[in-house]
Amino acid sequence: MSLSKGHFCFKSDKTIYHIKTNKMKEFMLIIRTQGDHLAELSPEQQQQHVNQVMNYMSGLMNSGKLNSAQPLDMEGVIVSGTAGKFKDGPFNETKEVIAGYFLIKANSLEEAIQVAKDNPVFEVGAGARIEVRPIKVMEGING
Amino acid sequence: MLSPDKLREHIEHGTAYIGKYIKQGNIKSAQPLDRGSRIVSKTDGLLKDAPFNETKEVIAGYFLIEAETLEQAVAIAKENPIFDDIKSKIEVHPIKPIPT
């Protein structure tokens, strides 16, 4: 058994168990792309990208870092205004759009940034950006 | 910025809204997002991260919901108490089925 700052691991039945001893923080990674970044890919390239994303996600899941992740469709509506006087209309999908999200756990903002940098969207989406946002802990909501 | 009293009231409205739609099975998860975010991008094959401009429009939170139709999702968005207290917009995006 080894003990280091933040986590320890032990070996049992030939399996190595990693136990996190500190509380990880939650982060929302917002994937921003220039329009539909998959539209230009061939079916084979799309399949390859899906496989890469699946590998990326199972890596995060195995290390206990993934809470949930999903891609978002291009169609959608933006609601604005004030209660009683709403406008809702389509948003501009030819410019930067939110293409998906990853809700993750990490020990620090730096680790969350590293997880974002590993995202395979950077292999396919020219101009892709990922916004790394700490989840806010508010009493009465999630605190 | 809301006053402490106004903020407390706003959180109560938010909690009631979330509670109602959790009970109806529409809200799966919802959380506010904090400041101090970073933006990761790639230029000329190099990944970099930089502070995100938070003085302009920012994403302040998310709601992951289930609805029968986009119209129902929009109607749920319009009931969000954020519109009572803060000038804001809500983007309603359908979740994309993952190709297998």
Side-chain angles (χ1 to χ4, degrees):
Chain A
M1 189 167 98
S2 70
L3 189 60
S4 67
K5 198 185 170 195
H7 86 286
F8 68 91
C9 57
F10 64 94
K11 205 172 173 183
S12 167
D13 304 331
K14 291 179 186 157
T15 311
I16 296 171
Y17 294 90
H18 290 267
I19 311 284
K20 296 274 177 197
T21 54
N22 56 346
K23 200 171 178 289
M24 291 173 96
K25 296 180 196 121
E26 266 189 298
F27 294 87
M28 177 61 101
L29 309 188
I30 300 156
I31 317 298
R32 298 174 171 275
T33 57
Q34 303 299 316
D36 186 354
H37 63 297
L38 301 178
E40 303 292 307
L41 301 181
S42 70
E44 291 77 21
Q45 286 171 319
Q46 284 197 18
Q47 190 54 55
Q48 198 190 0
H49 179 65
V50 168
N51 293 345
Q52 282 177 335
V53 174
M54 291 300 175
N55 284 341
Y56 172 68
M57 283 173 62
S58 36
L60 291 177
M61 232 180 274
N62 291 340
S63 55
K65 287 181 190 156
L66 189 63
N67 277 0
S68 95
Q70 292 201 90
L72 301 183
D73 235 330
M74 284 297 120
E75 303 125 52
V77 170
I78 186 146
V79 177
S80 60
T82 49
K85 281 190 291 178
F86 284 117
K87 283 183 290 186
D88 57 86
F91 45 74
N92 191 343
E93 284 144 11
T94 56
K95 293 205 300 185
E96 189 177 77
V97 290
I98 299 177
Y101 73 90
F102 289 77
L103 184 60
I104 66 154
K105 283 198 198 91
N107 289 303
S108 62
L109 180 63
E110 289 64 38
E111 191 183 325
I113 290 168
Q114 192 48 56
V115 170
K117 286 182 175 172
D118 288 340
N119 195 301
V121 73
F122 293 115
E123 309 288 325
V124 293
R129 306 195 299 161
I130 298 183
E131 191 180 324
V132 181
R133 301 291 307 271
I135 298 291
K136 188 174 187 170
V137 179
M138 284 176 85
E139 194 145 344
I141 293 183
N142 57 1
Chain B
M1 275 301 275
L2 300 177
S3 71
D5 282 352
K6 195 84 185 139
L7 180 64
R8 199 170 314 119
E9 198 185 286
H10 180 67
I11 291 174
E12 279 169 17
H13 291 166
T15 310
Y17 170 73
I18 292 170
K20 174 186 163 184
Y21 282 109
I22 284 179
K23 235 178 252 168
Q24 291 185 18
N26 296 104
I27 287 184
K28 292 170 77 181
S29 102
Q31 291 195 102
L33 302 183
D34 218 340
R35 305 230 151 205
S37 55
R38 308 278 292 181
I39 185 107
V40 176
S41 60
K42 191 179 184 181
T43 12
D44 302 326
L46 270 180
L47 284 164
K48 57 167 192 164
D49 64 278
F52 188 66
N53 186 350
E54 289 168 350
T55 57
K56 293 207 297 182
E57 187 178 271
V58 290
I59 298 178
Y62 74 91
F63 289 79
L64 183 61
I65 70 161
E66 269 176 12
E68 300 285 334
T69 58
L70 182 61
E71 289 67 36
Q72 192 195 357
V74 169
I76 291 173
K78 285 180 178 174
E79 274 183 51
N80 196 306
I82 189 97
F83 291 116
D84 296 331
D85 298 314
I86 299 154
K87 189 175 179 288
S88 45
K89 293 191 257 183
I90 297 182
E91 271 183 49
V92 183
H93 290 271
I95 301 288
K96 187 176 184 173
I98 299 171
T100 45

